[in-house]
Amino acid sequence: MSNKIIRLESLSLMDHDENPNDGSIFQTTRVIEVGHPYDEPHFKMVWDGQHNNPVECHSDRDVVSIDSIKSLCDSDGYCYIVRLKDGNELSLPIHAFIAETKEVVA
């Protein structure tokens, strides 16, 4: 068994509400998930003749996989490689994201 990265979440240390002492200093700034479009809304609104309905939106830039690799691209010596369905790869700094993993039975 091994763990597979399925989601990256970037957090910023900002507190935008009125109470600075409530402990809510983190705000999500970026989410990257396997199976969802990269840098696009997960849902778009589609008019069915009577209502606007949310429909999951995929494109040729869907995220295929997320891996952690040794690399010189980051001061930590590691980075995340995000592979997209259109063949492109993104190299992201490992210290800027929190990874969510799930156990995979091989």
Side-chain angles (χ1 to χ4, degrees):
M1 285 193 267
S2 65
N3 285 340
K4 180 178 180 181
I5 301 170
I6 57 171
R7 174 183 167 102
L8 296 176
E9 186 172 2
S10 176
L11 300 176
S12 62
L13 293 171
M14 294 185 290
D15 191 349
H16 291 288
D17 61 17
E18 298 297 319
N19 185 356
N21 299 317
D22 61 2
S24 61
I25 59 169
F26 292 106
Q27 177 188 9
T28 299
T29 58
R30 193 172 181 195
V31 172
I32 301 169
E33 289 180 293
V34 172
H36 284 282
Y38 171 74
D39 262 0
E40 296 177 27
H42 289 199
F43 295 92
K44 63 180 178 180
M45 300 305 288
V46 175
W47 180 255
D48 67 3
Q50 294 181 331
H51 305 93
N52 269 331
N53 296 312
V55 175
E56 195 164 346
C57 176
H58 287 265
S59 72
D60 61 352
R61 291 180 62 81
D62 287 0
V63 176
V64 174
S65 66
I66 304 169
D67 298 299
S68 170
I69 66 166
K70 284 189 177 183
S71 172
L72 299 176
C73 70
D74 193 77
S75 60
D76 295 337
Y78 286 88
C79 70
Y80 291 116
I81 295 294
V82 177
R83 291 182 177 83
L84 303 174
K85 189 167 69 176
D86 63 6
N88 289 322
E89 290 184 352
L90 308 169
S91 177
L92 303 173
I94 206 161
H95 59 78
F97 292 90
I98 295 173
E100 179 184 330
T101 63
K102 73 173 182 180
E103 204 169 80
V104 177
V105 179

